Amino acid sequence: QVQLVESGGGFVQAGGSLRLSCAASGSIFVIMSMGWYRQAPGKQRELVAALTSGASTNYADSVKGRFTISRDNAKNTVYLQMNSLKPEDTAVYYCNAEVLATTGTLYDYWGQGTQVTVSS
């Protein structure tokens, strides 16, 4: 089992910044990718940013140029620096990790979610 613990959400005014963190622990052989998704009320969960083990990144068009994903491999931690926040960024943000177990099986894990609220 792998646990993902998120932190860093909160309330901020438009134009402000927040930094989310997600630390993975447990039975980890290789983390293939880590990323962030978000879900606003009444909407589907969507990808915000993802980072593969090969350091490839993928961002939603709506956050390009404002959000930056990074990873500390030694700590199995992924970060999401969010700048120039907009009210439409308001959502619950979920950390995701694709983890390769020693058995060769790929597992998908989710964090509990952290609320980000941006006021206008």
Side-chain angles (χ1 to χ4, degrees), residues 73-95:
N73 290 327
K75 297 180 179 179
N76 287 329
T77 298
V78 67
Y79 305 95
L80 184 68
Q81 178 65 44
M82 304 186 293
N83 298 328
S84 302
L85 282 160
K86 303 175 181 180
E88 51 263 43
D89 294 318
T90 296
V92 177
Y93 284 69
Y94 295 92
C95 178

Side-chain angles (χ1 to χ4, degrees), residues 5-81:
V5 178
E6 301 149 340
S7 61
F11 182 92
V12 66
Q13 290 188 330
S17 299
L18 285 174
R19 188 193 194 207
L20 305 182
S21 300
C22 173
S25 62
S27 302
I28 298 170
F29 180 48
V30 177
I31 295 180
M32 303 302 291
S33 71
M34 293 187 78
W36 293 93
Y37 288 71
R38 68 187 180 187
Q39 187 166 19
K43 294 187 177 181
Q44 290 187 330
R45 189 173 297 188
E46 63 175 358
L47 172 70
V48 177
L51 180 60
T52 69
S53 59
S56 296
T57 57
N58 185 24
Y59 291 95
D61 287 342
S62 60
V63 307
K64 285 180 180 178
R66 300 188 298 122
F67 292 9
T68 303
I69 189 169
S70 61
R71 181 173 158 182
D72 184 332
N73 290 327
K75 297 180 179 179
N76 287 329
T77 298
V78 67
Y79 305 95
L80 184 68
Q81 178 65 44

